[in-house]
């Protein structure tokens, strides 16, 4: 496309790169000028520290030039030629920067389409710069030419690009995954001497197991790359932002001693749902394929240190199984003479899932079915979802009856029991309630719970199929029966994050319909409604009416939802809070905040120690500007020990309103240090109630979290999403204004602050912040008008000294969340 020259800026003396479009190529491909121009346009829009900067575009004497930032450290391709396998930390650092750069591009609807090491330049300090956007925006095909010199580019093509299908940002994720594989393995996952052979491999073949090629690589990193290399784009990890979040978690985990991969961690991962043998070979436990069958759910999040800690815990159970029978395994003697083994306990607030050894039938050769089920559930329900509280424990003995399962559950406090039997061709898995000791508010009789939840699932391949959705289904039903609104939403959010191939539900009756409904709830809620209706025809119990009401609410059929919820409330236990939780969601969605507060009053009467109820009632009081009552509710929520950052986020906003900036600093420090995921609240809400139930708090929590993390463009978008739900929310204009100020867009910041002041003239901090940006805009008189408003307010003692610091250049919007306010106003 062009030649690149080193040049020098005669005004600054800086080196620059000058890209000249080749005249002979222009003659043969006239549309290349448009492509060249669009590369310049793309670079102008991107303006990211890990993307090569565009300085100028010049046309002179029929020649076309782009003047770009000079990056002098060579390319990633050059580095890989010198050192084919890079250190793990270097791979993660480069990958995290590139994920951040691609996130910026994808948010601007720019797809790179040619991710490969040659298009990653390295600065002298080793930080990467993504370059060569010459094929961005250029239709659906990545650049593949006739020259034969670009076989490397073929190797990075996604399967959909290889089939000449329409592509989107997931094609970049595939190419990025290929590049990460190469950086770790020292070779490409798909390579051959001719392009056709490469494309056939991309479409059909399983790449060599990365764990074998790079045994020191953390298992979460290998799993992430496998998910980036799913051949079906619908099953691929959906956003590069999510890739970046997982990379950051893995990189942070490198500081812990448990991150080092070991033969044990690899052996426990062989039950991965990616394991798929090639047709020409017998099944192999070590083959890890990103070409697993299409899955039912999206996946998210890996935290390496926690994941490997859980692998070690699973290893303890495996070790117990392998110890001699005369060892010191804890056993509880039963009255009938049998012994029940006690496994490693879990932390308070966590749910135990106990997986027993499986029984072979009809002279079937023994194989370790349970090990693969333990491995799958550990990976899916512990490692892949950072906010999961489900813990898997192997039980080192066979269980052959429901009665034995109950005794083992009682000895270990297990919420879910998994046991069963197998032949050479089929595995029958019993997934049933263990004990309900973790659910102190359940008032439903055990028989109702059992027939609603206990289910049999048939698997044909324990290495590829999973019972994770059935495990989550049982826990969710118990949470619903308990009236624990937070845990109900958390379980649904976990379900939304995981990616599994499910087995066949072999049960009949109520539980069969219920588990089918849970499987379809996220992707086809209307079908879920039909399945709950079928279950109600067999057993019209209050739990099923509540579930169908929630499903109706999720698809926007509010009248039917309310009818079902009222029925559930009428025929269910008097002490059951779940109907009020569902009703409060409806009232909040239609901005009937007083009615929603009444719902939460009822919940708090029933569950006085429920932090989640105080949190949301406080949020409603806040929206109604009853800040004192909101603070009282949030103080109570903090006393009860919240599982999420929600109370701290709203308390920090109230503190900003009252110019208690030292309190803001303390709350935000807690959010940043203890709650890493700014989108967690949005995940809980959107997973449970979908897009048809507007909720202002998910995007609000996400906006505040992204503002703290310096993701200012995302904070602006989140705040706009909150305003689309509730346009009287002045605080969202505070977030937008502060984000725009940090981005250097002072005019947009001034407009945002002004809109907030128009909605709430008593929000004094907005005047102080608007005064700052008006100084940058040289609107001096208006700035001093804002200062006068602040000076006449009861917050003057705090804000005027802060504004004076700003005038002296000692404070500005970039310091808002990092400045030491402890002595201000004293």
């Amino acid at each position: 496309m062009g030649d690149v020259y080193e040049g020098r800026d005669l005004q600054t003396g800086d080196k620059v790169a000058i890209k000249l479009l080749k005249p002979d190529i222009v003659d043969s491909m006239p549309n290349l000028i448009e492509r060249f121009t669009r590369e310049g346009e793309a670079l102008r829009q991107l303006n990211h520290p890990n993307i090569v900067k565009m300085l100028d575009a010049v046309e002179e004497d029929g020649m076309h030039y782009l003047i770009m930032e000079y990056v002098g450290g060579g390319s990633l391709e050059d580095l890989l030629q010198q050192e084919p396998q890079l250190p793990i930390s270097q791979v993660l650092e480069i990958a995290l920067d590139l994920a951040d750069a691609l996130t910026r591009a994808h948010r601007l609807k720019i797809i790179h389409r040619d991710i490969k090491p040659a298009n990653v330049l390295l600065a002298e300090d080793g930080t990467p710069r993504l370059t060569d956007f010459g094929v961005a925006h250029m239709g659906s095909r990545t650049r593949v030419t006739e020259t034969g010199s670009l076989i490397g580019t073929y190797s990075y093509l996604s399967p959909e690009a290889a089939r000449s299908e329409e592509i989107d940002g997931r094609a970049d994720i595939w190419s990025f995954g290929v590049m990460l594989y190469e950086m770790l393995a020292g070779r490409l996952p798909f390579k051959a001497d001719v392009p056709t052979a490469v494309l056939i491999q991309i479409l059909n073949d399983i790449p060599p197991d990365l764990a074998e090629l790079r045994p020191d690589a953390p298992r979460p990193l290998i799993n992430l790359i496998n998910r980036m290399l799913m051949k079906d784009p619908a099953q691929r990890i959906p956003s590069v932002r999510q890739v970046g979040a997982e990379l950051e978690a893995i990189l942070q985990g490198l500081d812990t001693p448990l991150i080092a991969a070991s033969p044990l961690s690899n052996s426990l991962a062989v039950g991965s749902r990616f394991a798929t043998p090639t047709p020409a070979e017998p099944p192999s436990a070590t083959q890890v394929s990103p070409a697993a069958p299409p899955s039912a759910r999206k996946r998210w999040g890996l935290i390496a240190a926690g994941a490997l800690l859980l692998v070690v815990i699973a290893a303890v159970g495996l070790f117990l199984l392998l110890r001699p029978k005369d060892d010191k395994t804890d056993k509880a003697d039963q009255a009938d003479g049998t012994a029940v083994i006690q496994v490693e306990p879990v932390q308070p607030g966590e749910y135990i899932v106990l997986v027993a050894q499986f029984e072979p039938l009809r002279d079937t050769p023994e194989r370790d079915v349970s090990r693969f089920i333990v491995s799958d559930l550990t990976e899916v329900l512990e490692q892949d979802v950072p906010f999961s509280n489900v813990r898997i424990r192997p039980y080192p003995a066979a269980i052959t009856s429901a009665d034995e399962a109950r005794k083992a559950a009682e000895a270990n406090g297990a919420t879910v029991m998994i046991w069963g039997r197998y032949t050479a061709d089929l595995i029958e898995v019993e997934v049933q309630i263990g004990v309900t000791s973790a659910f102190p508010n359940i008032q439903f009789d055990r028989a109702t719970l059992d027939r609603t939840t206990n289910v049999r699932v048939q698997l044909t391949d324990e290495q590829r199929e999973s019972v994770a959705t059935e495990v989550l289904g049982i826990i969710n039903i118990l949470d619903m029966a308990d009236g624990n609104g937070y845990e109900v939403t958390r379980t649904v959010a976990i379900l939304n994050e995981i990616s599994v191939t499910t087995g066949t539900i072999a049960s009949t009756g109520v539980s069969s319909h219920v588990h089918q409904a849970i499987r379809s709830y996220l992707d086809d809620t209307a079908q879920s409604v039909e399945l709950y209706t079928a279950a109600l025809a067999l057993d019209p119990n209050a739990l099923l009416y509540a579930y169908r009401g929630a499903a109706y609410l999720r698809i926007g059929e509010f009248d039917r939802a309310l009818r079902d919820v009222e029925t559930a409330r009428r025929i269910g236990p008097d002490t059951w809070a779940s109907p009020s939780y569902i009703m409060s969601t409806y009232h909040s969605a239609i901005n009937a905040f007083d009615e929603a507060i009444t719902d939460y009053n009822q919940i708090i009467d029933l569950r006085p120690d429920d932090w989640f109820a105080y949190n949301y009632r406080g949020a409603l009081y806040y929206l109604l500007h009853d800040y004192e009552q909101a603070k009282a509710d949030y103080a109570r929520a903090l006393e009860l020990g919240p599982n999420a950052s929600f109370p701290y986020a709203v308390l920090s906003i109230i503190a900003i309103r009252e110019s208690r900036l030292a309190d803001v600093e303390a709350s935000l420090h807690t959010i940043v240090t203890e709650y890493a995921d700014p989108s967690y609240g949005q995940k809980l809400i959107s997973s449970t109630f979908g897009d048809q139930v507007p909720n202002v708090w998910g995007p609000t929590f996400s906006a505040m979290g992204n503002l703290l993390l310096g993701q200012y463009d995302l904070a602006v978008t989140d705040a706009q999403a909150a305003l689309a739900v509730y346009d009287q929310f002045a605080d969202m204009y505070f977030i937008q204004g502060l984000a725009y100020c940090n981005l250097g867009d002072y005019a947009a910041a001034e407009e945002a602050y002004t809109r907030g002041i128009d909605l709430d003239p008593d929000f004094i901090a907005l005047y102080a912040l608007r005064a700052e940006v008006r100084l940058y805009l040289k609107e001096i008189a208006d700035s001093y008008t804002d200062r006068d408003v602040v000076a006449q307010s009861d917050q003057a003692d705090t804000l005027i000294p802060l504004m004076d610091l700003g005038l002296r250049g000692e404070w500005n919007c970039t310091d808002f969340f990092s400045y030491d306010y402890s002595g201000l106003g004293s």
Side-chain angles (χ1 to χ4, degrees):
M1 182 172 170
D3 292 321
V4 183
Y5 295 88
E6 179 185 323
R8 187 172 300 278
D9 187 319
L10 297 179
Q11 295 183 356
T12 66
D14 294 337
K15 286 184 179 180
V16 295
I18 304 171
K19 186 170 186 176
L20 168 64
L21 191 60
K22 291 182 178 178
D24 55 331
I25 296 181
V26 172
D27 292 341
S28 62
M29 300 174 62
N31 64 342
L32 205 59
I33 293 177
E34 180 184 0
R35 176 180 293 187
F36 193 73
T37 302
R38 296 185 77 168
E39 178 180 11
E41 292 173 354
L43 290 174
R44 280 197 189 93
Q45 293 180 58
L46 289 168
N47 188 27
H48 187 279
N50 296 113
I51 296 175
V52 172
K53 290 181 176 61
M54 163 74 173
L55 303 177
D56 201 358
V58 177
E59 180 182 357
E60 185 177 274
D61 297 331
M63 306 291 281
H64 298 269
Y65 305 87
L66 293 181
I67 316 300
M68 295 182 291
E69 169 191 13
Y70 175 81
V71 184
S75 70
L76 180 58
E77 182 179 53
D78 299 332
L79 178 61
L80 290 175
Q81 289 176 355
Q82 300 168 14
E83 188 177 359
Q85 290 189 328
L86 299 182
I88 300 297
S89 59
Q90 186 177 15
V91 171
L92 287 168
E93 288 166 358
I94 290 173
L96 184 58
D97 286 341
L98 293 176
D100 198 32
L102 275 175
T103 297
R104 172 68 174 168
H106 287 186
R107 284 193 63 80
L108 294 174
K109 311 300 182 187
I110 296 173
I111 305 168
H112 189 283
R113 294 186 170 93
D114 200 11
I115 304 293
K116 59 183 181 181
N119 286 339
V120 177
L121 302 182
L122 301 174
E124 283 80 358
D125 63 358
T127 57
R129 304 284 196 276
L130 188 59
T131 188
D132 199 355
F133 282 78
V135 293
H137 299 289
M138 295 296 120
S140 63
R141 297 191 181 186
T142 306
R143 178 179 59 191
V144 283
T145 71
E146 309 81 16
T147 65
S149 63
L150 290 178
I151 290 178
T153 295
Y154 286 90
S155 298
Y156 301 89
L157 277 181
S158 67
E160 59 268 32
R163 291 189 295 265
S164 296
E165 296 173 354
E166 284 294 322
I167 65 172
D168 55 22
R170 292 171 296 184
D172 279 351
I173 292 174
W174 168 281
S175 303
F176 191 13
V178 172
M179 194 166 70
L180 290 182
Y181 184 106
E182 182 181 8
M183 293 162 70
L184 287 172
R187 54 151 293 170
L188 286 162
F190 309 103
K191 57 183 297 186
D193 293 332
V194 294
T196 303
V198 173
L199 297 179
I200 291 173
Q201 288 183 15
I202 289 171
L203 292 172
N204 299 302
D205 288 1
I206 300 166
D209 185 359
L210 188 52
E212 292 185 358
L213 296 172
R214 192 65 188 267
D216 63 326
R219 170 55 58 179
L221 178 57
I222 293 173
N223 289 344
L224 173 60
I225 294 171
N226 285 336
R227 292 157 60 212
M228 295 170 75
L229 295 181
M230 294 291 283
K231 293 187 188 294
D232 181 356
Q235 310 310 319
R236 201 172 300 154
I237 188 168
S239 76
V240 75
R241 179 186 177 192
Q242 184 173 326
V243 172
E246 297 191 21
L247 287 167
E248 185 167 20
I250 297 168
L251 182 60
Q252 290 173 351
L254 285 180
D255 294 333
T256 72
L258 290 174
I259 192 62
S262 68
L264 176 61
S265 68
N266 287 329
S267 69
L268 287 176
V270 297
S272 165
R273 60 201 174 285
F274 297 113
T276 306
T278 60
E281 298 178 11
S284 168
T286 61
Q287 288 177 309
V288 179
S289 169
S295 59
R297 300 285 183 260
K298 294 181 289 184
R299 304 176 65 207
W300 198 80
L302 296 165
I303 296 186
L308 287 172
L309 173 59
L310 297 170
V311 165
V312 171
I313 292 172
V316 171
L318 185 59
F319 176 68
L320 290 174
L321 173 62
L322 298 176
R323 291 170 70 175
K325 292 185 178 180
D326 60 349
D327 64 8
K328 297 181 180 180
T329 300
D330 290 335
K331 298 181 180 181
D333 292 331
Q334 303 297 310
D336 60 4
T338 62
V340 176
I341 300 169
Q342 292 180 326
V343 303
E344 183 77 16
V346 297
Q347 296 298 315
E350 296 178 338
Y351 300 134
I352 292 182
V353 177
L354 209 58
V355 183
Q357 295 294 297
F358 276 60
E359 178 188 16
L361 297 180
R362 295 193 295 274
D363 299 323
T364 302
E366 290 191 16
R367 66 181 193 268
D368 201 350
V369 171
S370 66
R371 178 167 70 93
F372 291 104
I373 293 177
V374 167
S375 179
D376 169 72
L377 294 177
T378 300
E379 180 183 347
V380 173
L381 298 181
E382 293 191 18
Q383 299 173 5
D384 285 2
V385 186
F387 53 83
S388 173
N389 59 340
V390 181
R391 301 294 177 256
I392 314 303
R393 294 290 184 269
Y395 186 76
I399 288 177
T400 59
S401 69
D403 185 58
E404 289 181 15
R406 179 185 58 79
K407 291 176 181 177
E410 289 172 351
N412 290 283
T415 298
V416 179
M417 290 297 305
I418 296 177
W419 56 281
R421 59 208 68 83
Y422 64 91
T423 66
D425 303 315
L426 192 67
I427 304 162
E428 283 194 340
V429 185
E430 305 287 348
V431 189
Q432 67 181 55
I433 297 175
V435 294
T436 60
S437 54
F439 309 88
N441 296 295
I442 286 182
Q443 297 299 314
F444 289 88
D445 63 87
R446 179 61 184 253
T448 297
L449 296 175
D450 283 344
R451 67 175 177 266
T452 305
T453 60
N454 294 348
V455 67
R456 177 179 299 150
V457 181
Q458 291 181 341
L459 309 179
T460 57
D461 185 344
E462 67 271 32
Q463 296 187 50
R464 296 177 56 192
E465 296 168 314
S466 177
V467 293
T469 55
E470 286 67 48
V471 169
L472 290 173
I474 288 179
I475 295 173
N476 185 266
I477 292 166
L478 293 175
D479 284 326
M480 179 73 88
D482 190 64
N484 192 327
Y486 172 73
E487 291 296 344
V488 168
T489 58
R490 170 153 63 173
T491 310
V492 177
I494 296 170
L495 188 66
N496 193 46
E497 296 296 310
I498 69 172
S499 174
V500 297
T501 299
T502 56
T504 301
I505 293 177
S507 302
T508 58
V510 176
S511 67
S512 172
H513 297 304
V514 169
H515 281 282
Q516 294 282 10
I518 289 170
R519 287 184 178 186
S520 61
Y521 180 78
L522 294 170
D523 299 329
D524 190 348
T525 312
Q527 182 184 9
S528 181
V529 167
E530 295 177 3
L531 289 161
Y532 283 127
T533 301
L536 280 164
L538 298 174
D539 182 12
N541 73 60
L543 273 171
L544 298 180
Y545 277 109
Y547 269 106
R548 191 174 68 174
Y552 274 133
L553 193 61
R554 197 173 196 274
I555 59 177
E557 295 192 23
F558 290 162
D559 291 341
R560 291 182 174 179
L562 296 182
R563 185 174 66 235
D564 274 357
V565 174
E566 287 296 347
T567 300
R569 177 179 281 166
R570 185 172 61 255
I571 69 175
D574 294 337
T575 58
W576 186 33
S578 287
S580 296
Y581 261 120
I582 300 171
M583 193 70 78
S584 70
T585 302
Y586 163 71
H587 284 138
S588 297
I590 63 172
N591 294 340
F593 299 139
D594 289 328
E595 289 87 343
I597 286 175
T598 300
D599 297 324
Y600 279 108
N601 291 340
Q602 295 169 351
I603 296 169
I604 289 170
D605 287 342
L606 297 172
R607 298 172 57 87
D609 296 330
D610 188 341
W611 75 268
F612 196 57
Y614 284 103
N615 169 80
Y616 267 99
R617 190 175 72 174
L620 293 166
Y621 279 126
Y622 175 80
L623 289 177
L624 293 173
H625 303 290
D626 188 345
Y627 302 124
E628 292 307 312
Q629 185 60 56
K631 286 190 289 186
D633 274 355
Y634 280 117
R636 178 60 178 152
L638 294 182
E639 288 176 4
L640 294 170
N643 297 86
S645 65
F646 312 152
Y648 295 100
V650 182
L651 279 174
S652 66
I653 298 176
I654 295 175
I656 289 167
R657 279 182 164 276
E658 298 175 350
S659 294
R660 293 183 286 106
L661 300 182
D663 291 344
V664 174
E665 184 181 8
S667 290
L668 299 183
H669 176 76
T670 300
I671 293 174
V672 171
T673 56
E674 297 185 20
Y675 305 97
D677 183 2
S679 63
Y680 180 41
Q682 180 72 353
K683 289 175 183 175
L684 295 184
I685 293 164
S686 62
S687 297
T688 306
F689 293 105
D691 299 329
Q692 298 299 315
V693 183
N695 191 298
V696 72
W697 290 109
T700 294
F701 298 144
S702 184
M704 179 59 74
N706 279 315
L707 191 65
L708 295 177
L709 295 174
Q711 302 291 323
Y712 301 117
D713 55 341
L714 300 181
V716 169
T717 301
D718 289 334
Q720 194 58 47
L723 287 166
V725 176
Y726 183 58
D727 61 6
Q728 300 301 302
F729 206 175
D731 307 79
M732 293 302 99
Y733 288 115
F734 156 76
I735 289 175
Q736 282 193 333
L738 201 59
Y740 280 129
C741 183
N742 276 272
L743 290 169
D745 191 343
Y746 302 122
E750 180 187 34
E751 181 181 357
Y753 293 142
T754 300
R755 290 187 177 183
I757 290 169
D758 290 343
L759 285 175
D760 190 351
D762 294 329
F763 197 159
I764 301 302
L766 291 177
Y767 293 96
L769 291 167
R770 188 172 68 175
E772 177 202 4
V773 297
R774 283 178 164 176
L775 287 176
Y776 294 138
L777 295 170
K778 302 189 184 307
E779 298 170 358
I780 307 301
D782 289 338
S783 177
Y784 276 89
T785 298
D786 283 340
R787 182 186 176 92
D788 289 341
V789 174
V790 176
Q792 295 171 28
S793 74
D794 58 1
Q795 298 175 22
D797 289 346
T798 299
L799 294 180
I800 291 297
L802 191 65
M803 297 172 76
D804 289 341
L805 289 171
L807 287 172
R808 296 197 299 269
E810 298 174 13
W811 178 90
N812 60 35
C813 62
T814 64
D815 302 319
F816 193 89
F817 293 126
S818 59
Y819 192 81
D820 182 4
Y821 296 105
S822 56
L824 199 66
S826 60

